[in-house]
Amino acid sequence: MTSVIGSSLSNLTATLVALVSGFLVSVIASRLLGPTGAGAVAYAVWIAVCASAIADRGFPQMLLRHVAFLQDKGEARYQQIINSAFLSFLPAVCVVFLGFTGYALTLWSDDRQASLLWLATGLLFASYAFAALSIAIARGKGRFRETALLTATGSALQVPVVLLGAVVAGPVGVVLGMLTRYLPQGLALSRHLQRPFRAVPGAVTPDMKAYQRSVWTTDVIDVVLLARIEYVVIGFYLGHADLGYFAAAIAFAGLVTQLTLQLSPVFLVGLSKISAADGTALPQQLYRNGFRLTALVVFPLGLGGAGIISVFLPLVFGQDFQPAAAPAVLFLLASVPGGLAVVPWSYLAAQARAGLLLRLTLLYAAGLFTALALVVPVAGLLGAAAVRLVSELVFFLLLGAAVTRSGGPAVPWTDLLRIFLAAGLCGISAFAVTSAMPSLAGVVIGLVAGAAGFLLGIRLLSVATPDDAMRVERLVIRHAPSRLREPVLRAARLVLGAT
């Protein structure tokens, strides 16, 4: 469990850098391009990510699981799988990239700006696809610190490049600037390939291929139909400006979602290794701790963020984006069950229950799309946010029930309830302050009040177990500077309880 938590913290640190960078990019696009230009950028990014999910054919997820599974059998065994998978992965990515390029060239004579935007989208797609494969291999090998460093590097470089691109070339410059985020990890792919590049017959077994196909289908449905299906429905029923409002409304919830999604590879690798070791049921304690760790991240961010977002969003993106404020509250609340769903999803994936995941995802996709098609024409963007909240909650409950019915552990509802109540104090405190002071100063004070409310809730509700408190104390003693060690220890004991 210690290694899982350590890897999770490395991932979370890098993800925080990436999320701050992505948030700044959204602000730059919104401020300099307006709702319509920001909507065009968001739509281009969505297209690139969807194309990557289709072109990768499930190879990143397959490598993530099976490289981790084969760690104890030596590098020679899993290196054959990596090389063979890469050579199978490459042709589809090249074909899709050529498709982007060809379509862009057909638009050149009529609309050069649109043509350049499609070319930029194709380059973003290729960078994203190669980076995703590289990240999956590195995490399968357990190189979470390396991945975290490359992620943080690309994310930090992205902001000034995007700013320059927005000033010089508008939406096209912003999309090209986003390439910087994925280049370090994409270029690192060569470290994981063994020369000469050749496929080894039989290296990728039929079981691996079956897992790959199932996960690929699930990922395509999840990314194309679920992650941002609102782009399709809103674009069809509403207008280009509404796409910009949606991009702003979903931006803060996207931060929470991406933060928790970074935990899933860590859980999946840890669970896969344990499953390979004993071949029986995965331990309930790891499942429970996974829920607790995720809840400690997602609950305060989702509920606390919902308390300040209606004031904070127009301050950041500009008053032109005021229509996005109310939907942003619901999207942030929806990120809570969406983030928790990472844990049962990782459990089922580690148990190779890809077929069950596929059926549940298809059911979720059908319900979400139907509800959006019925609600958006009547209730607009706010209706889309309400649909997202209800659908994320239902999907989380379905995943939790699926784990239990498969013979796995139950969702630790008592632990989640305590953390939820503590986060409720966070949200209420933040909302009360920002309602009384609807300004930037109010938001800052509201954040402080929300954090204080959450820490108070953790103490009053005894959220931390004695083992949690001991683990935190050991981390403080090991890593805190000597001058700060004692006051940090006192603060930790005050919040978590003395061990």
Side-chain angles (χ1 to χ4, degrees), residues 40-52:
V41 169
Y43 192 73
V45 173
W46 179 69
I47 290 292
V49 173
C50 289
S52 178

Side-chain angles (χ1 to χ4, degrees), residues 23 27 31 252 311-318:
F23 174 73
V27 174
R31 286 284 185 176
F252 296 92
V311 174
F312 188 50
L313 187 146
L315 290 174
V316 173
F317 289 97

Side-chain angles (χ1 to χ4, degrees), residues 49-139:
V49 173
C50 289
S52 178
I54 294 170
D56 71 26
R57 293 182 294 154
F59 280 107
Q61 286 289 353
M62 185 274 285
L63 288 173
L64 172 66
R65 182 177 189 270
H66 286 92
V67 170
F69 192 86
L70 296 170
Q71 280 291 295
D72 296 336
K73 297 186 178 181
E75 181 179 356
R77 178 67 183 96
Y78 65 71
Q79 189 61 57
Q80 295 177 351
I81 299 172
I82 293 172
N83 273 23
S84 299
F86 174 74
L87 292 174
S88 298
F89 164 87
L90 190 58
V93 174
C94 292
V95 167
V96 174
F97 176 73
L98 291 175
F100 274 109
T101 304
Y103 182 68
L105 293 177
T106 64
L107 299 175
W108 182 256
S109 59
D110 297 327
D111 190 342
R112 292 194 176 185
Q113 186 68 17
S115 176
L116 290 172
L117 186 58
W118 278 102
L119 282 172
T121 304
L123 290 170
L124 181 62
F125 148 76
S127 299
Y128 184 89
F130 286 117
L133 187 71
S134 178
I135 289 170
I137 296 171
R139 287 172 171 169

Side-chain angles (χ1 to χ4, degrees), residues 167-207:
V167 173
V168 173
V172 175
V174 172
V175 175
L176 287 175
M178 289 180 174
L179 292 174
T180 314
R181 161 69 176 80
Y182 306 106
L183 285 179
Q185 194 69 58
L187 294 174
L189 179 59
S190 61
R191 302 178 188 174
H192 305 296
L193 302 175
Q194 189 178 70
R195 295 171 179 80
F197 298 135
R198 60 184 179 87
V200 178
V204 180
T205 65
D207 286 343

